[in-house]
């Protein structure tokens, strides 16, 4: 697959929805995570990311305007031992509990499917970074069968020994439309450029100004485990 410009992939799509990027920094020393959320409705836009232990959670910016928390309030990032989990929904907890029970990332997700938000049937996208022996990662998508809510298609991708300066990008929607078309194919190969500040600013500034809500960036030193984290919130 051709390595694409992450900046172009984001900036040329007004509504990719929620997105996960996992990869390795240009110098090859750090694992990189980006997770962003976007919104078209007032309820979806009424959110911020806040730190929660080693991870983060979504929180209503104005609690008085929160109309339905079911699919928008959750913990996108949690850490369990040498694994870091990042997802676009409460399946973060499903994976976390599954790993504690001895399941794998993929098998834990077999109990879940796409979100029950017909007619969009938003895919559940998930990732996990493994640091027990070097660095590897997995990504997963649970999506309806071409918009048919009676069938769930399940895809899991494993990336061993990621290349420096390269990441994989998966997002919920192909474009802004009604209904919203689900992501298609293997996670896109994208470039990862700069340190945490340069990379984070690039992603944030590339997201559609009207629709972007929040962004989480983390760089993890593969040798020491030391983390650097940045959070961007449109609501301040």
């Amino acid at each position: 697959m051709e390595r694409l410009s992450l900046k172009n992939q984001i900036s040329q799509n007004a509504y990719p929805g929620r997105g996960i990027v996992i990869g390795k920094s240009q110098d090859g020393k750090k694992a990189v995570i980006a997770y962003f959320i976007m919104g078209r409705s007032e309820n979806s836009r009424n959110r911020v990311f806040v730190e929660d232990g080693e991870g983060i959670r979504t929180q209503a910016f104005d609690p008085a305007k929160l109309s339905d928390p079911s699919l928008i309030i959750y913990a996108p990032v949690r850490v369990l031992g040498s694994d870091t989990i990042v997802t676009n929904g409460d399946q973060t907890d499903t994976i976390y509990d599954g790993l504690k029970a001895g399941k794998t990332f993929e098998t834990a997700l077999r109990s879940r499917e796409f979100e029950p938000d017909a007619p969009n049937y938003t895919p559940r996208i998930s990732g996990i970074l493994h640091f027990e022996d070097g660095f590897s990662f997995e990504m997963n998508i649970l999506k309806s069968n071409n918009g048919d809510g009676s069938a769930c298609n399940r895809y899991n991708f494993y990336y061993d020994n990621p290349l420096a300066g390269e990441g994989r990008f998966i997002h919920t929607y192909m474009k802004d439309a009604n209904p919203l078309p689900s992501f298609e194919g293997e996670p896109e190969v994208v470039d990862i450029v700069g340190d945490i500040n340069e990379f984070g600013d690039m992603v944030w500034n590339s997201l559609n100004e009207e629709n972007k809500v929040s962004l989480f960036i983390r760089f993890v030193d593969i040798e020491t485990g030391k983390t650097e984290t940045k959070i961007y919130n449109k609501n301040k």
Side-chain angles (χ1 to χ4, degrees):
M1 294 176 68
E2 178 186 359
R3 185 186 293 189
L4 305 172
S5 162
L6 178 59
K7 179 178 180 179
N8 289 344
Q9 291 302 103
I10 296 174
S11 64
Q12 293 174 5
N13 187 346
Y15 200 66
R18 286 163 275 172
I20 298 172
V21 179
I22 303 176
K24 190 180 283 186
S25 60
Q26 281 182 293
D27 62 10
K29 295 180 179 180
K30 296 177 180 178
V32 175
I33 310 168
Y35 175 64
F36 63 79
I37 60 175
M38 307 180 80
R40 299 192 300 182
S41 68
E42 181 182 45
N43 194 48
S44 293
R45 292 176 176 177
N46 180 37
R47 289 183 288 175
V48 292
F49 284 165
V50 295
E51 293 191 77
D52 185 13
E54 294 181 279
I56 59 168
R57 57 184 170 85
T58 61
Q59 179 175 285
F61 176 65
D62 182 351
K65 294 181 178 179
L66 181 64
S67 59
D68 180 8
S70 60
L71 295 175
I72 67 170
I73 302 300
Y74 56 93
V77 179
R78 297 188 69 181
V79 176
L80 178 63
S82 59
D83 293 328
T84 298
I85 305 160
V86 53
T87 90
N88 73 327
D90 63 9
Q91 72 268 25
T92 308
D93 298 331
T94 302
I95 297 165
Y96 185 93
D97 294 340
L99 294 176
K100 290 184 70 175
K103 296 181 181 179
T104 66
F105 170 73
E106 183 180 7
T107 56
L109 283 165
R110 289 179 186 169
S111 65
R112 306 301 303 270
E113 57 179 31
F114 48 83
E115 295 181 356
D117 60 341
N120 296 317
Y121 298 115
T122 299
R124 291 191 186 272
I125 56 173
S126 307
I128 187 167
L129 294 83
H130 303 293
F131 294 102
E132 186 173 352
D133 184 17
F135 167 49
S136 62
F137 67 93
E138 297 176 66
M139 302 184 94
N140 182 286
I141 182 168
L142 309 175
K143 53 184 287 188
S144 68
N145 188 353
N146 293 316
D148 187 328
S150 67
C152 181
N153 294 346
R154 303 170 182 275
Y155 304 90
N156 202 77
F157 306 91
Y158 193 104
Y159 302 100
D160 197 9
N161 193 28
L163 300 178
E166 184 174 284
R168 293 281 177 158
F169 178 33
I170 192 169
H171 43 97
T172 51
Y173 310 124
M174 294 300 291
K175 62 181 180 179
D176 192 3
N178 287 300
L180 289 158
S182 295
F183 180 86
E184 297 178 359
E186 184 179 345
E188 298 160 350
V189 183
V190 294
D191 58 353
I192 293 180
V193 179
D195 61 14
I196 189 170
N197 295 308
E198 183 180 354
F199 179 72
D201 289 351
M202 180 278 292
V203 175
W204 183 244
N205 293 330
S206 299
L207 290 166
N208 179 273
E209 183 63 31
E210 182 179 0
N211 295 323
K212 69 183 180 182
V213 176
S214 296
L215 168 67
F216 165 87
I217 302 287
R218 175 166 290 172
F219 277 41
V220 183
D221 189 295
I222 297 170
E223 184 175 341
T224 67
K226 181 181 178 181
T227 63
E228 301 173 87
T229 298
K230 288 196 71 175
I231 291 175
Y232 299 74
N233 287 310
K234 188 174 180 180
N235 294 312
K236 297 180 180 178

